Amino acid sequence: MHRPTCSIWDTPREYQPDALLKSGIKDEAVASYLSDTRPLYDAAKRCVGQLSGILLLLQTDSLDRNRNDLLLASVTRQLREATDRLGAVKATPTGARHQAALADLLVLLGRILSRLDRLADLIDPASPDLDAVVDALFSAQRSLRMVSEPSAGLTPVDFTAACCNCRPAKN
């Protein structure tokens, strides 16, 4: 769980609009849009990882049933907040498709979450529900790559911040 003052929703300084303009993005509105969507992309990336981790723990019979609800609640909160924030982002005409794809990714992650909430259906390795969740996670990963924009820090792997712990403030 993150502290109330956690910077998890902050856009790193190097991906603020002015920094993106200096790095080569020519349009101020595009730089602003990319900066606004960076935390939402990061949230989607965390959710893909957390949902995959929950499924892995479930399949290896390592999921602590007492923590299960906490894990699912964490993903639920992140998805809800990311969806709300995305709805408030003004997309440029060139960013409209990107915003729609990011919205679709968040919806897909919500569907995966609802399937993982029915844990009993996913314990059997031969379960068609398990196959469907695995396929959906692969689809989410492909969607995550599709909405990536490396020049704005929207990349599937980012070693500048911790995936599930509060990142320390940079001095």
Side-chain angles (χ1 to χ4, degrees):
M1 298 298 164
H2 295 275
R3 298 181 304 253
T5 58
C6 180
S7 62
I8 198 162
W9 293 105
D10 295 346
T11 301
R13 190 169 200 245
E14 62 271 24
Y15 299 110
Q16 292 290 332
D18 57 335
L20 291 175
L21 289 168
K22 288 178 185 173
S23 74
I25 293 177
K26 307 271 188 257
D27 186 322
E28 192 172 322
V30 170
S32 181
Y33 168 77
L34 289 171
S35 181
D36 289 345
T37 57
R38 167 66 194 265
L40 310 177
Y41 179 89
D42 288 347
K45 181 171 53 175
R46 281 190 308 278
C47 289
V48 168
Q50 288 173 332
L51 292 170
S52 298
I54 291 168
L55 185 61
L56 179 64
L57 289 172
L58 180 64
Q59 286 298 297
T60 59
D61 204 24
S62 302
L63 184 63
D64 178 353
R65 299 296 178 174
N66 296 325
R67 290 189 43 109
N68 171 53
D69 290 339
L70 290 174
L71 295 169
L72 293 173
S74 171
V75 174
T76 300
R77 277 191 307 279
Q78 289 179 77
L79 285 176
R80 184 178 21 245
E81 189 165 355
T83 300
D84 291 347
R85 286 174 180 255
L86 183 61
V89 170
K90 283 198 158 233
T92 63
T94 57
R97 283 183 57 205
H98 182 269
Q99 187 178 30
L102 191 52
D104 289 346
L105 172 58
L106 294 174
V107 168
L108 175 59
L109 292 171
R111 287 185 187 135
I112 294 168
L113 175 64
S114 68
R115 289 191 108 150
L116 282 179
D117 210 6
R118 297 179 302 126
L119 296 176
D121 298 341
L122 302 174
I123 293 173
D124 179 8
S127 166
D129 285 334
L130 175 61
D131 289 342
V133 169
V134 171
D135 288 345
L137 283 166
F138 276 113
S139 180
Q141 180 62 27
R142 284 190 301 276
S143 295
L144 193 63
R145 285 194 315 265
M146 185 180 78
V147 297
S148 68
E149 177 53 51
S151 66
L154 280 69
T155 55
V157 177
D158 177 11
F159 294 109
T160 63
C163 64
C164 57
N165 293 313
C166 296
R167 65 176 179 223
K170 294 182 182 178
N171 295 334

